[in-house]
Amino acid sequence: MKRMMGWLALVLALALCGAPTLAEPAEPVHLVFATMQEGTGAYAYASALAGIMQDALPEGSTVELQTTSPGAVGAPAMLEAGECDLVMSNAAPALWYVQDHRDTGVRALCGGLGYDFVNVMMTEAFAEKSGVFTLEEIVEKQLPVRLAVKEEGTLGELAARKLLEALGVRYADIEAWGGKVIHTDSQGIAEAFEKGEADLTIDHIAAWQENTTRLCEGVPMRFPQLKEETLNHLVEMGFGVIDVEPGMFAGQTEPIAAVGSQQVVLVRQDMDAALAQALARAVCEHADELAKLSPALERFVPMYAGTAELCGAEVHAGAAQYYWEQGYPQK
């Protein structure tokens, strides 16, 4: 409620003062844009966005991409620590971070970027051998499954923990059943399956993610549908409902009802307002170009880029003014 009142106050202030358009940045700027490793959806999005942003800035400006972000709540934390000027994050972790840091200076530039979701896959070999075809059955029968997940601190790992929590289990339970939990990066997950060292993975990925695409082309995979009760638990935790279209990956022949948290670009509150406005404008006014650079960005709708649901954190004042000028909602 407090965060919502802050946004309403900002909109009212803009309306009362006539919301004059901010001057464009006049001098070159040099920005560090943190994202995750190559092969991830976050990297693909940031690569596309960085080029669009740099072209919109004064000549001589740079937007330097660095693969230093841990993702999840670690992304806004490194931003606030001054380790970068912009960072790719997701709306849910951004919200969880600001809820835990009431005086935070983390702000959103634009949200609703991408087509991201919680992805559950098991090998066809494991399914055929065990006769089990859903995650809920694995938990119910306490099967000794080898689970490959991202490293702690990433949204993929956090999504895995929250999904298991929704089913009433933890990593320790899987190990107690005789199973194994492997923590690694996106590429390491693919390699674990290719070597026959993993049976199951739970991750939070982008549509057509490079590493998952390559994995499914080399190892026959099955995509179990989570039960409605499980999905409802995840929605209560902060994820949004999303439908995964069929044919996205080899072996995924049916649509999947899933949940996810879409990407958002975060900046600090002390970023110059004119700069924030210019960056938000560049992203929104080049939506068609972004879609060509990354297929998952086809779902980006500029009108909703400043809404609370898709941003997680409060919108930067400069970006908020751009959305206000366009008549875009911010609730």
Side-chain angles (χ1 to χ4, degrees), residues 246-330:
M248 190 172 291
F249 303 111
Q252 188 241 326
T253 58
E254 300 292 330
I256 301 171
V259 296
S261 177
Q262 302 317 307
Q263 302 262 353
V264 56
V265 177
L266 300 178
V267 298
R268 285 190 301 279
Q269 183 180 18
D270 61 6
M271 173 178 276
D272 179 73
L275 174 58
Q277 184 182 50
L279 294 174
R281 179 186 298 113
V283 173
C284 291
E285 294 184 0
H286 292 83
D288 291 343
E289 186 174 345
L290 287 171
K292 294 176 183 178
L293 293 171
S294 177
L297 288 172
E298 290 181 359
R299 292 200 169 200
F300 173 54
V301 181
M303 177 180 291
Y304 301 111
T307 56
E309 179 182 355
L310 297 179
C311 287
E314 181 179 340
V315 177
H316 189 286
Q321 181 158 329
Y322 169 73
Y323 298 133
W324 183 86
E325 290 175 353
Q326 302 304 309
Y328 294 165
Q330 295 180 58

Side-chain angles (χ1 to χ4, degrees), residues 44-169:
Y45 301 155
S47 296
L49 290 164
I52 294 293
M53 291 176 175
Q54 183 166 312
D55 289 345
L57 296 173
E59 185 175 355
S61 297
T62 59
V63 179
E64 179 187 353
L65 210 58
Q66 293 186 358
T67 55
T68 52
S69 174
V73 293
M78 72 173 296
L79 173 71
E80 190 148 50
E83 297 174 27
C84 59
D85 302 298
L86 308 96
V87 67
M88 288 303 305
S89 185
N90 295 79
L95 175 60
W96 298 330
Y97 182 85
V98 298
Q99 287 175 336
D100 290 337
H101 302 79
R102 293 295 182 179
D103 297 324
T104 181
V106 169
R107 296 292 185 266
L109 190 72
C110 51
L113 296 158
Y115 182 3
D116 296 10
F117 51 90
V118 176
N119 185 51
V120 181
M121 297 190 302
M122 68 174 73
T123 64
E124 284 285 1
F126 175 81
E128 294 300 330
K129 181 180 179 180
S130 66
V132 168
F133 304 99
T134 69
L135 181 59
E136 288 85 355
E137 285 181 285
I138 291 175
V139 171
E140 181 183 350
K141 297 184 177 181
Q142 301 184 357
L143 296 183
V145 66
R146 297 172 298 174
L147 171 65
V149 297
K150 293 271 186 66
E151 296 166 320
E152 290 189 17
T154 64
L155 179 55
E157 190 276 334
L158 186 56
R161 274 195 288 123
K162 286 190 173 293
L163 175 49
L164 292 176
E165 180 185 332
L167 296 173
V169 297

